[in-house]
Amino acid sequence: MPTDRKPEFFKGTQLKVAIIGCGYVGLPLAFRFAEAGHRVTGFDTDPNKINMLNAGRSYIEHIPQTKIQQFVNSRHFNATTDFSRLKEADAILICVPTPLNEYREPDLSYVEQTALSIQPNLQKGQLVVLESTTYPGMTEELVLPILEKSGLRCPIASGPENDNVAVDFFLAFSPEREDPGNKQYGLAQIPKVVGGVNAPSGRAAVSLYAQVVAKVIPVSSTRTAEMAKLLENIFRCVNIALVNELKLLSMRMGVDIWEVIDAAATKPFGFMPFYPGPGLGGHCIPVDPFYLSWKAREYDFSTRFIELAGEINTSMPYHIVDSIGAALNTHQKSVKGSKILVLGVAYKKDVDDLRESPTLKIMQILQERGAIFDYNDPFFPQLHKMRHYNYEHMKSVPLNAQTIASYDAIIIATDHSSYDYAAIVDAAKLVVDTRNATRRVQRHRNKIVLC
Ligand SMILES: NC(=O)c1ccc[n+]([C@@H]2O[C@H](COP(=O)([O-])OP(=O)(O)OC[C@H]3O[C@@H](n4cnc5c(N)ncnc54)[C@H](O)[C@@H]3O)[C@@H](O)[C@H]2O)c1
């Protein structure tokens, strides 16, 4: 391995790219680099995933088996749990989880563990990039000191006078903007923000990513890149909370919030539609903002927008169950003892991902209030044990007119495209729709409650 690499080395072809964390972010990235002709090795601590990948099998709905087989067969991709093989890589990209712990504080253990597994294998001239979403400062404060324990140096330095600061290895942060299931914007079309610990690191990372994405946006530091990702997600979180709160008011005023949003969205400038729903879901939007509010405390700063948005969004599953109660009440029934079918456990439509899904919370509240409930989700034939919930005994019930008619209420929690909403409304006694999925249904509108 050359030890006096210039950042431009990473413009080269057939680089050896290591991806740590073969999940929703790591795998698409790995295959994008493989597609561009590089030799990619996926690293993961989960041996089941590694075995499946090497056998050319997929465990993520929108990543086709054929794609994995193609790259495994052409030797552009292989996977391993042997972290000593990181030594062979030119570039190491970290895509491990950054969740919250039970106190809703950042759980840094995955990134820390990953840095610890790179450190004994770190080579002169390697480029390391953190892609996991995090607070401003993590790359410099957590990853860099661990890597430098190897004896190799990558000094923090900004400004033009440091353009050619001497480094032993390169370190950068580049946030992932993967939107699982989005058919319009794949990884290759999405611009990528990149910030280095110093200028050579930034240039090295820009050289690498420019090969696989349409546009790279260099910024002056890792902190700027880290904060940019949080701004994007906080923007979504706050706007979703705003529209959820306005939905509650609109309901009380007898105004249809979805019609309001459609009308407002005709404004060709200065407005972007966000839609209400049963609460926030997914690995990012409910989690990432709290990385910033946690870090802000170190600066005696309270991030009030984030806290308020969190408060409104986390109250939504309770609002949904209250609405179910009110709807059942009009049928002389109560939540307790009613038979309820929940449609959709995935956190958003057409994905096989239920991390932080508000449906799981809705089901927990239904259970606490004595409802007898089942679920259907084409992406989840059965449920497994999760960190906060245990529904492992539950299986998706078949969806047909007879089963639908046997429930006191149907809740549309996730608006999967495969559902036949007209047929559901035809067969149901009562439909509680949290997504306005029934907007085009003409018949039996009196059975539908939007909430
Ligand atoms: N999923 C998204 O849509 C999305 C979008 C943008 C950013 N992100 C961010 O990307 C990061 C990864 O998210 P994800 O959705 O891919 O998570 P994921 O859970 O799908 O994948 C993470 C993978 O890392 C593996 N892993 C855990 N600890 C490890 C370790 N010490 N060494 C090696 N592998 C390890 C896990 O087994 C898993 O396969 C997070 O920071 C997330 O916030 C996710």
Side-chain angles (χ1 to χ4, degrees):
M1 177 162 304
T3 54
D4 55 347
R5 278 184 186 158
K6 301 273 177 287
E8 291 66 36
F9 168 84
F10 294 94
K11 287 182 180 162
T13 54
Q14 300 211 355
L15 297 178
K16 293 192 185 115
V17 180
I19 307 279
I20 306 185
C22 297
Y24 284 88
V25 164
L27 268 193
L29 192 66
F31 296 133
R32 182 68 200 113
F33 274 101
E35 218 161 49
H38 301 288
R39 305 269 162 193
V40 183
T41 304
F43 293 76
D44 206 289
T45 43
D46 182 344
N48 292 330
K49 287 185 177 168
I50 296 303
N51 291 340
M52 283 182 77
L53 290 173
N54 285 329
R57 283 163 46 215
S58 179
Y59 43 77
I60 295 180
E61 224 278 320
H62 61 278
I63 299 180
Q65 201 119 302
T66 46
K67 194 168 199 170
I68 303 178
Q69 281 160 0
Q70 176 197 339
F71 293 126
V72 169
N73 291 343
S74 68
R75 298 184 184 279
H76 280 91
F77 178 79
N78 68 86
T80 183
T81 52
D82 176 6
F83 285 75
S84 71
R85 287 191 49 206
L86 287 170
K87 289 191 185 81
E88 301 161 14
D90 298 309
I92 301 171
L93 314 182
I94 306 171
C95 309
V96 296
T98 43
L100 298 174
N101 65 20
E102 64 260 46
Y103 306 109
R104 297 198 72 70
E105 288 173 348
D107 175 355
L108 313 179
S109 62
Y110 298 90
V111 174
E112 188 174 10
Q113 193 48 50
T114 302
L116 287 168
S117 51
I118 298 173
Q119 182 235 292
N121 300 301
L122 188 67
Q123 303 294 306
K124 248 188 150 182
Q126 279 183 327
L127 163 65
V128 179
V129 186
L130 178 63
E131 293 232 1
S132 306
T133 308
T134 188
Y135 61 84
M138 193 204 233
T139 311
E140 289 180 2
E141 293 165 11
L142 183 81
V143 179
L144 179 62
I146 295 177
L147 297 188
E148 285 197 329
K149 283 212 177 90
S150 63
L152 299 176
R153 294 278 166 265
C154 182
I156 299 170
S158 60
E161 67 280 12
N162 288 307
D163 254 9
N164 292 309
V165 62
V167 302
D168 294 324
F169 65 97
F170 304 100
L171 178 61
F173 179 81
S174 179
E176 190 48 63
R177 285 169 161 168
E178 165 79 357
D179 181 15
N182 188 327
K183 294 190 174 63
Q184 195 181 358
Y185 293 106
L187 218 156
Q189 292 84 42
I190 303 172
K192 203 152 177 26
V193 173
V194 170
V197 158
N198 42 49
S201 293
R203 286 203 302 275
V206 168
S207 301
L208 180 76
Y209 286 115
Q211 302 196 41
V212 293
V213 298
K215 193 172 182 190
V216 180
I217 290 91
V219 294
S220 60
S221 65
T222 51
R223 284 167 196 266
T224 305
E226 288 159 336
M227 187 73 152
K229 171 70 185 176
L230 290 182
L231 172 60
E232 291 167 19
N233 284 357
I234 291 164
F235 173 78
R236 283 190 64 74
C237 175
V238 167
N239 277 290
I240 292 169
L242 173 67
V243 84
N244 274 331
E245 186 175 66
L246 292 182
K247 173 184 78 170
L248 298 182
L249 174 63
S250 300
M251 282 175 65
R252 206 172 284 187
M253 296 170 110
V255 176
D256 179 343
I257 185 71
W258 283 278
E259 193 185 357
V260 171
I261 297 166
D262 287 347
T266 59
K267 185 179 177 186
F269 48 87
F271 183 82
M272 179 184 281
F274 286 84
Y275 297 94
L280 287 183
H283 185 35
C284 299
I285 312 296
V287 171
D288 301 346
F290 294 100
Y291 269 68
L292 189 62
S293 39
W294 173 81
K295 189 66 181 172
R297 277 183 236 141
E298 198 179 303
Y299 295 82
D300 289 335
F301 195 96
S302 146
T303 50
R304 284 176 292 163
F305 269 104
I306 295 174
E307 299 298 339
L308 179 59
E311 199 180 298
I312 294 171
N313 288 328
T314 51
S315 75
M316 292 319 290
Y318 293 90
H319 156 74
I320 300 298
V321 179
D322 289 346
S323 300
I324 296 165
L328 284 167
N329 193 42
T330 62
H331 289 229
Q332 285 81 43
K333 290 175 187 163
S334 60
V335 171
K336 190 175 174 120
S338 282
K339 265 191 83 187
I340 294 171
L341 178 62
V342 182
L343 298 186
V345 283
Y347 82 87
K348 70 172 182 178
K349 72 179 193 178
D350 304 338
V351 299
D352 61 342
D353 189 348
L354 45 68
R355 287 177 294 178
E356 309 288 331
S357 170
T359 309
L360 302 172
K361 187 73 194 177
I362 290 172
M363 297 200 315
Q364 185 192 47
I365 305 168
L366 284 173
Q367 195 164 20
E368 284 163 5
R369 297 191 187 174
I372 303 153
F373 65 93
D374 292 308
Y375 85 94
N376 170 279
D377 192 311
F379 293 91
F380 292 95
Q382 61 189 61
L383 296 180
H384 52 82
K385 196 167 186 297
M386 288 155 271
R387 247 178 356 146
H388 304 300
Y389 305 99
N390 187 1
Y391 298 118
E392 63 186 338
H393 58 285
M394 292 189 75
K395 287 195 166 63
S396 175
V397 299
L399 206 58
N400 55 49
Q402 207 182 351
T403 45
I404 291 171
S406 70
Y407 290 93
D408 297 305
I410 309 291
I411 307 170
I412 301 171
T414 310
D415 49 345
H416 288 311
S417 309
S418 60
Y419 286 140
D420 180 344
Y421 293 104
I424 290 166
V425 175
D426 278 347
K429 296 188 181 94
L430 172 67
V431 176
V432 178
D433 182 359
T434 71
R435 304 272 190 177
N436 200 20
T438 53
R439 67 173 76 76
R440 287 192 195 84
V441 175
Q442 305 281 344
R443 286 191 303 268
H444 306 304
R445 288 224 55 99
N446 59 329
K447 290 189 196 175
I448 303 169
V449 175
L450 292 177
C451 73

